[in-house]
Amino acid sequence: MNPKLTTRTGARLWTRRDMLRVGGGAAALVTLTMAGCSPDGGGTREGSGNTTPDPNRPNEAPGLTDRVEAGDLPPLEERLPVESDRLIVETPEFGEYGGTYHGAVLGQGDDPWLSRMIAYEPMLRVDPAIEEVGLPGTFKAIEVNDDATRFTIRMREGLRWSDGEPVTADDVMFAIEDVYFNTDLYPVPPTLLAVNDEPCQAERVDDHTVVLRFPRSKGDFIDEASRNANWDQTNLLFFPKHYLQDFLPHLNDRAQTLAQEAGFGDWTSYWEDRIQWWNNPERPVLYAWIVTNPLNQGTVTVLERNPYYWKVDPEGAQLPFIDRLEFEVVQEEEVMLLKGVNGELDFHARHFNYDQNKPVLAEGRQDGGYDFVTVETTSMNRLIVALNLNHQDEELREIFQNKDFRIGLSHAIDRQDIIDTVYQRQGEPWQAAPHADSEFYDEEFAKQYTQFDVDLANQHLDAAGLTEKDGEGFRLRPNGERLQFQIDITDLFPEWAPAADMITQYWAEVGVDAQVNPIERTLFYDRKLPDANAFDASVWAGDGGLKIEMLEPRWYFPNGNESNFGVQWAEWYASRGTGESALEPPPETRRQMELYRQIPLEPDPEAQKELFRQILQIAKEQFYAIGVALPTDGYAIKKNNLHNVVESYPDSWLHLTPGPVNIPTWFFSD
């Protein structure tokens, strides 16, 4: 180790060579065991001990007090909601104001990590363990009548956008009537605001009350209102009317002109640009920090404290405690990993937190001044291979839709070999079935066809009608050509490429010629759009295995573009058969779609679960996609001087984790 390579504190600085020596780095494929890598196997967690508040502790950041005294800001009491409407956040320790958080993002397209860290402000919250929904969020409460047809939204009096403008029922009505019911933006009403595509009626009762009335029971409304609050989910307090109304033609005659002056071809494109809070510092938000240097400019994304943030700790101190967030924009995962090992990241849980990188991070903990936080998986599979059951080649489609063919491919995979070689012996063979800890767990579903048996694989492939082979032993299609196809993968997880390579080798042993096709993520998504339908097979993770199963059923029946095994079936479901690229599914799949549409109509949660179990039973029988391994928990890294961070949390994009763990309460000790 070069003694000159040290941090400001004198800790040794890690290099790429050091990481390769230990086994880290996104490109490395290692088979080290995880002994000695547990969270308590090194490093320390020091607490500041401030569980009793200092009587002299201020209730606002000193910098804000200076601005109040200078006349640049109203007093704290005028910036917060009325006392009864403030959201009080319990904290393990009473925080201290100050400090700059140092993080990183992978390129200028890594807004999802910023969303996870900053943008978790849903209408209703979930608890940090994602076990209880419907907790107060940006809305003070949502009251439900007995048959779940009327929902009364109670807003927080005195809540303000980050520019100081009041948040009122007008913002909610704007979101509903001018955004979500705007067919230029949403051709079909969002599911939160409709039952079987029939929209609700919204009534503004007063400045802080809105009533939604549905034509039938909307039994999943509270669950859906408790999902993440970013741009990709329906959020009735995401659109500040006073700012965004200028970009809608029906409210501003100059909207198209404004778009053209800004360099956009049409107003819808400019609208999408203006709502992107991570790239638009002008856009008011309800977040604890406000973007001052956007993600799409420069090498550091900067956020400053929101003086109008509406949450306080139990002693009335306004959150957040940390003054400023800085996310360095890096271009390589390996560079991000180096920054983590060297203690340059205060908290991180994205891009480099893979099994093969844990040894190098474990070894760097003492010098880097950080430790591990457990990230509990909600996924049910590390890697799922989805054959395109809607393939545009009719003969290949027929082969892929043959269940014996899929069963044969499944039995041909030596899952334990992949687990031992690629996944550090972490996990167990598993299909695309709910997690072992799920209330919907079905052992038979999870373990079916996972036995590695070449003879059994060949029997099923023969039963699929693929008995003829060429001179090299590869099976022939009915037209006499060799059966060949590609498996599209992205670099989202570095383990996917070596695991997929192993799978194609196993399949070659039973006469199936498949090739791995690494492509960029945008192209991956473009190829699997229903109107393109230009892929043979793909690899993705097993989302929706635990705690969010009913909200994320992509692998259990084709419900959207993430159901990679049947995207045109999914379009048939989403469009009710009217989509230009829609393909009518088989009767069993249509039955699943009918059952899923019944769930929100059922007010009783237990009845909803019973409907979902019927969907899972059909998924088990249909065997749509081929799973490999049940994932184990992951990890994040956290600096030892960062406080009020939980020891573990579940991972869920639907809930923008780690957002639910109350990041605005985090603070630094000296």
Side-chain angles (χ1 to χ4, degrees):
M1 177 76 66
N2 186 340
K4 295 181 180 180
L5 296 176
T6 61
T7 65
R8 291 177 300 173
T9 60
R12 65 176 183 174
L13 190 67
W14 281 68
T15 66
R16 295 180 184 224
R17 179 177 296 179
D18 295 319
M19 290 199 303
L20 293 173
R21 172 180 58 80
V22 176
L29 174 62
V30 296
T31 56
L32 300 177
T33 66
M34 297 310 299
C37 294
S38 62
D40 57 354
T44 59
R45 288 184 182 274
E46 297 177 356
S48 66
N50 58 338
T51 55
T52 301
D54 182 342
N56 297 317
R57 187 181 67 138
N59 277 348
E60 68 178 346
L64 297 184
T65 301
D66 293 342
R67 292 177 62 184
V68 172
E69 293 175 350
D72 295 334
L73 273 180
L76 177 61
E77 287 298 309
E78 296 179 19
R79 302 198 311 269
L80 290 172
V82 298
E83 189 170 358
S84 61
D85 283 1
R86 296 170 193 171
L87 183 59
I88 300 173
V89 183
E90 295 295 329
T91 59
E93 300 179 62
F94 289 100
E96 305 167 6
Y97 290 112
T100 297
Y101 171 97
H102 294 95
V105 290
L106 188 64
Q108 293 183 333
D110 197 11
D111 57 274
W113 181 238
L114 295 182
S115 294
R116 285 176 178 262
M117 291 295 293
I118 297 152
Y120 181 72
E121 298 297 353
M123 297 173 285
L124 298 175
R125 295 175 64 86
V126 296
D127 71 310
I130 313 183
E131 293 177 348
E132 186 177 358
V133 302
L135 303 177
T138 56
F139 290 147
K140 184 178 178 180
I142 299 180
E143 300 166 3
V144 189
N145 69 344
D146 290 341
D147 63 354
T149 59
R150 186 178 71 248
F151 297 83
T152 303
I153 297 171
R154 305 292 184 187
M155 302 179 66
R156 299 180 184 278
E157 184 179 348
L159 181 67
R160 294 179 181 273
W161 296 100
S162 56
D163 61 356
E165 288 295 316
V167 177
T168 72
D170 292 337
D171 295 295
V172 175
M173 298 300 292
F174 173 75
I176 296 171
E177 296 180 339
D178 298 299
V179 179
Y180 292 125
F181 289 172
N182 185 335
T183 56
D184 289 322
L185 297 175
Y186 292 85
V188 177
T191 57
L192 178 75
L193 299 173
V195 174
N196 289 344
D197 295 339
E198 187 175 350
C200 67
Q201 293 182 341
E203 176 190 357
R204 182 192 190 282
V205 177
D206 56 41
D207 282 350
H208 303 103
T209 310
V210 173
V211 173
L212 306 181
R213 293 181 175 85
F214 290 84
R216 297 179 63 184
S217 293
K218 179 65 176 168
D220 62 346
F221 185 89
I222 297 300
D223 276 335
E224 194 167 348
S226 304
R227 295 188 195 179
N228 86 42
N230 205 23
W231 58 271
D232 66 332
Q233 296 289 331
T234 309
N235 181 358
L236 303 184
L237 275 186
F238 186 72
F239 303 100
K241 178 180 180 178
H242 69 281
Y243 172 73
L244 289 173
Q245 62 185 348
D246 286 346
F247 309 113
L248 296 176
H250 70 281
L251 297 178
N252 180 12
D253 293 339
R254 297 192 69 252
Q256 182 64 29
T257 301
L258 291 175
Q260 292 172 344
E261 290 175 350
F264 292 84
D266 57 76
W267 70 267
T268 57
S269 299
Y270 194 39
W271 167 267
E272 292 173 3
D273 175 80
R274 294 293 82 192
I275 67 174
Q276 292 181 1
W277 58 268
W278 57 91
N279 285 335
N280 180 13
E282 298 176 358
R283 183 205 194 285
V285 296
L286 294 175
Y287 308 148
W289 296 274
I290 311 164
V291 170
T292 55
N293 193 64
L295 178 60
N296 61 358
Q297 296 179 16
T299 59
V300 180
T301 300
V302 179
L303 299 100
E304 305 279 356
R305 172 186 282 108
N306 175 5
Y308 293 93
Y309 194 56
W310 43 283
K311 298 178 188 176
V312 297
D313 78 357
E315 293 297 312
Q318 184 188 31
L319 302 175
F321 291 121
I322 298 174
D323 290 337
R324 175 183 173 100
L325 310 180
E326 295 183 358
F327 293 85
E328 183 175 348
V329 182
V330 301
Q331 302 303 322
E332 299 178 9
E333 291 179 11
E334 195 172 85
V335 173
M336 188 178 284
L337 174 60
L338 269 171
K339 294 179 75 66
V341 172
N342 289 327
E344 299 174 39
L345 302 178
D346 290 313
F347 177 90
H348 203 76
R350 186 171 172 85
H351 297 306
F352 64 66
N353 57 328
Y354 310 127
D355 291 339
Q356 66 262 42
N357 289 334
K358 200 168 186 181
V360 69
L361 286 161
E363 187 165 329
R365 281 179 293 180
Q366 184 171 356
D367 287 340
Y370 61 86
D371 210 335
F372 291 126
V373 170
T374 299
V375 180
E376 306 156 23
T377 184
T378 59
S379 172
M380 48 71 174
N381 220 289
R382 292 184 179 273
L383 182 157
I384 293 177
V385 180
L387 303 178
N388 182 1
L389 306 186
N390 301 159
H391 203 290
Q392 57 184 313
D393 181 322
E394 292 185 9
E395 188 174 80
L396 202 54
R397 180 196 309 171
E398 184 175 349
I399 292 171
F400 287 173
Q401 287 189 5
N402 189 304
K403 184 178 174 180
D404 271 310
F405 180 70
R406 301 194 299 277
I407 292 174
L409 293 183
S410 184
H411 279 304
I413 299 172
D414 188 342
R415 289 170 172 80
Q416 193 59 52
D417 189 23
I418 293 175
I419 292 167
D420 292 344
T421 305
V422 178
Y423 292 114
Q424 314 298 307
R425 302 184 177 91
Q426 303 296 301
E428 62 178 292
W430 208 263
Q431 291 292 5
H435 192 280
D437 294 331
S438 168
E439 62 181 308
F440 300 105
Y441 170 58
D442 177 344
E443 182 179 10
E444 187 177 47
F445 187 7
K447 292 296 185 177
Q448 65 179 358
Y449 320 128
T450 58
Q451 176 187 359
F452 174 51
D453 189 325
V454 173
D455 290 338
L456 190 56
N458 279 314
Q459 290 176 27
H460 280 283
L461 294 172
D462 288 346
L466 302 171
T467 56
E468 299 297 320
K469 299 180 180 179
D470 63 16
E472 297 181 57
F474 287 102
R475 296 176 185 269
L476 302 178
R477 294 167 49 158
N479 65 5
E481 297 176 359
R482 177 187 289 190
L483 171 59
Q484 294 179 308
F485 60 89
Q486 292 185 326
I487 306 174
D488 289 359
I489 66 167
T490 73
D491 61 356
L492 182 62
F493 294 103
E495 309 102 321
W496 282 354
D501 279 333
M502 294 178 71
I503 289 171
T504 60
Q505 292 172 33
Y506 302 136
W507 287 352
E509 292 298 314
V510 293
V512 175
D513 186 0
Q515 303 295 324
V516 176
N517 182 36
I519 56 176
E520 192 270 331
R521 187 172 181 177
T522 301
L523 179 59
F524 177 93
Y525 271 89
D526 287 345
R527 283 166 60 87
K528 73 184 185 75
L529 288 171
D531 58 350
N533 194 26
F535 74 106
D536 300 330
S538 67
V539 160
W540 204 255
D543 304 76
L546 179 64
K547 297 189 177 185
I548 57 172
E549 304 93 321
M550 292 175 64
L551 300 176
E552 182 56 278
R554 64 173 73 178
W555 293 113
Y556 307 133
F557 82 97
N559 75 313
N561 284 348
E562 298 295 351
S563 297
N564 296 347
F565 60 88
V567 293
Q568 291 187 332
W569 286 345
E571 179 165 337
W572 190 92
Y573 169 71
S575 68
R576 296 185 179 271
T578 64
E580 293 184 2
S581 302
L583 184 67
E584 184 174 356
E588 299 84 359
T589 306
R590 296 200 304 272
R591 175 58 180 159
Q592 289 181 297
M593 295 173 176
E594 293 169 2
L595 290 167
Y596 199 69
R597 291 194 191 280
Q598 291 177 30
I599 290 177
L601 306 180
E602 178 53 69
D604 179 8
E606 291 305 316
Q608 293 178 7
K609 292 176 184 178
E610 181 53 38
L611 290 169
F612 191 66
R613 288 188 177 92
Q614 295 180 48
I615 292 172
L616 291 174
Q617 180 61 35
I618 297 173
K620 173 181 172 180
E621 296 165 357
Q622 294 302 300
F623 187 51
Y624 292 120
I626 302 169
V628 173
L630 181 72
T632 52
D633 288 341
Y635 61 90
I637 58 171
K638 179 201 79 75
K639 290 298 291 289
N640 296 329
N641 68 334
L642 182 64
H643 299 277
N644 283 342
V645 182
V646 296
E647 294 184 357
S648 66
Y649 67 89
D651 183 35
S652 169
W653 167 249
L654 284 180
H655 297 99
L656 286 184
T657 57
V661 306
N662 297 312
I663 293 172
T665 68
W666 293 0
F667 70 98
F668 293 108
S669 61
D670 294 335

